[in-house]
Amino acid sequence: MKILFKSILIIIAVSVLFSFTACNESKTSTKNPTNFKTLAFKDEQIYLPNDGATKISKLFEKFTGDSILEVTVGILGIGYKPVGTGDVKKGLLSFNAGELLQSDLIDSGTLFHAYFSGESNVGGWYDDGNNVRMNPADAKSNIVTLIAGRDENGTPNKGVIKEGFNGNQNSLSGEYIYYIYTDRDCTISAMRKEYNDISHVYVNFSLNLKKGWNTLCKTETYTTNGISTYTMELKNPDLRWLILDL
């Protein structure tokens, strides 16, 4: 999913960044909870990317069709394991995922490698394998993956993510929600990492997660001077559900 997110940001940046004065597509809410016992969404509108958009306000168009929706988590050596139920009917998304089993969860090293490293495992907070820490170290977790389609070989070819964009003439930012489940209260932290050769900056963070489902918000900001900045926060902004080709 992180490669998918990066790809759509780059496409939008190229076609949109220099063509508008200012716009804010996502809205940050301080009232939205960040911890849940159960993930439950009912009849929420889902969108498709509008490839011809030249303004952030026109980036998405409503999806009105039907789609499967597999609610899964990734397990090394197994693949995608179902952990809930869901569907998309007439463009409206619904799904549920409750308490996960220990067999649904992964250790912190596997989690960090998958979600806190850079593109193609180059850069990122987890570049050297030591910069991201879990406390307590033996806490286990996993992040939900929503599959909206498979090809003739059964390989996932469509996914659903929750994201939003905002920007001005000098920068474009994209936000993406990770729904992460942890088997206990824990803290994930990382120190700042800078990669001057590729102009990437990964900002330090400390995330105090509660047992159950939590919302991690990753923000990627691209500027006209070529600097890319990445942050990870425990927050739950009002974003849109988007279905994309994988």
Side-chain angles (χ1 to χ4, degrees), residues 6 32 37 73 82 85 89-90 96 131 143 192 230 235:
K6 179 68 172 285
N32 293 350
K37 183 177 181 180
V73 291
T85 59
K89 298 293 185 183
K90 297 182 179 179
N96 289 271
N131 190 54
I143 288 175
R192 181 183 179 93
Y230 303 81
K235 67 176 185 177

Coordinates of all heavy atoms in Angstrom, one line a residue, residues 6 32 37 73 82 85 89-90 96 131 143 192 230 235:
K6 N 2.5 6.4 -2.6 CA 3.5 7.2 -3.1 C 3.3 7.5 -4.6 O 3.5 8.6 -5.1 CB 4.9 6.5 -3.0 CG 6.1 7.3 -3.5 CD 6.4 8.6 -2.8 CE 7.7 9.2 -3.2 NZ 8.9 8.5 -2.7
N32 N -12.3 13.2 16.5 CA -12.3 11.9 16.0 C -11.5 11.0 16.9 O -10.3 11.3 17.1 CB -11.9 11.7 14.6 CG -12.8 12.4 13.6 OD1 -13.9 12.9 13.9 ND2 -12.4 12.5 12.4
K37 N -12.3 -0.6 19.9 CA -12.3 -2.0 20.2 C -12.6 -2.8 18.9 O -12.0 -3.9 18.7 CB -13.3 -2.3 21.3 CG -13.4 -3.8 21.7 CD -14.4 -4.0 22.8 CE -14.4 -5.5 23.2 NZ -15.4 -5.7 24.3
V73 N -5.3 -9.1 7.0 CA -4.0 -8.7 7.5 C -2.9 -9.5 6.8 O -3.2 -10.7 6.4 CB -3.8 -8.8 9.0 CG1 -4.7 -7.8 9.8 CG2 -4.1 -10.2 9.5
P82 N -8.0 -13.3 6.2 CA -9.2 -12.6 6.5 C -9.4 -12.4 8.0 O -9.2 -13.3 8.8 CB -10.3 -13.5 6.0 CG -9.7 -14.4 4.9 CD -8.3 -14.6 5.5
T85 N -15.3 -8.8 7.7 CA -16.2 -8.9 6.6 C -16.5 -7.5 6.0 O -16.5 -6.6 6.8 CB -17.5 -9.6 6.9 OG1 -18.2 -8.9 8.0 CG2 -17.3 -11.1 7.4
K89 N -21.4 -1.6 -2.0 CA -22.7 -1.7 -2.7 C -23.1 -0.3 -3.1 O -23.2 0.6 -2.3 CB -23.8 -2.3 -1.8 CG -23.5 -3.8 -1.4 CD -23.5 -4.7 -2.6 CE -23.3 -6.2 -2.1 NZ -23.3 -7.1 -3.2
K90 N -23.3 -0.2 -4.5 CA -23.7 1.1 -5.0 C -22.8 2.3 -4.6 O -23.3 3.4 -4.2 CB -25.2 1.4 -4.7 CG -26.2 0.4 -5.3 CD -27.6 0.8 -5.0 CE -28.6 -0.2 -5.6 NZ -30.0 0.1 -5.3
N96 N -16.4 -4.6 8.9 CA -16.2 -4.8 10.3 C -14.9 -5.6 10.6 O -14.6 -6.6 9.8 CB -17.4 -5.5 11.0 CG -18.6 -4.6 11.1 OD1 -18.8 -3.9 12.0 ND2 -19.4 -4.7 10.0
N131 N 16.4 1.9 14.2 CA 15.9 3.3 14.5 C 14.5 3.3 15.1 O 14.1 4.2 15.9 CB 16.0 4.2 13.3 CG 15.8 5.6 13.7 OD1 16.4 6.2 14.6 ND2 14.8 6.3 13.0
I143 N -1.6 -4.5 10.7 CA -2.3 -3.4 10.0 C -3.3 -4.0 9.0 O -2.9 -4.9 8.2 CB -1.3 -2.4 9.4 CG1 -0.6 -1.6 10.5 CG2 -2.0 -1.5 8.4 CD1 0.5 -0.7 10.0
R192 N 14.7 11.0 14.3 CA 14.7 11.7 13.0 C 15.7 11.0 12.1 O 16.8 10.7 12.5 CB 15.0 13.2 13.1 CG 15.0 14.0 11.9 CD 15.4 15.4 12.2 NE 15.5 16.3 11.1 CZ 14.5 17.0 10.6 NH1 13.3 17.0 11.3 NH2 14.6 17.8 9.6
Y230 N 8.4 13.3 5.7 CA 7.4 12.2 6.1 C 7.2 12.3 7.7 O 8.2 12.4 8.4 CB 8.0 10.8 5.8 CG 8.3 10.7 4.3 CD1 9.5 11.1 3.8 CD2 7.4 10.0 3.5 CE1 9.8 11.0 2.4 CE2 7.7 9.8 2.1 CZ 8.9 10.3 1.6 OH 9.2 10.2 0.3
K235 N -3.5 10.2 15.0 CA -4.6 11.1 14.7 C -5.5 10.5 13.7 O -5.2 9.5 13.1 CB -4.1 12.5 14.3 CG -3.5 12.6 12.9 CD -3.2 14.0 12.6 CE -2.7 14.1 11.2 NZ -2.4 15.5 10.8

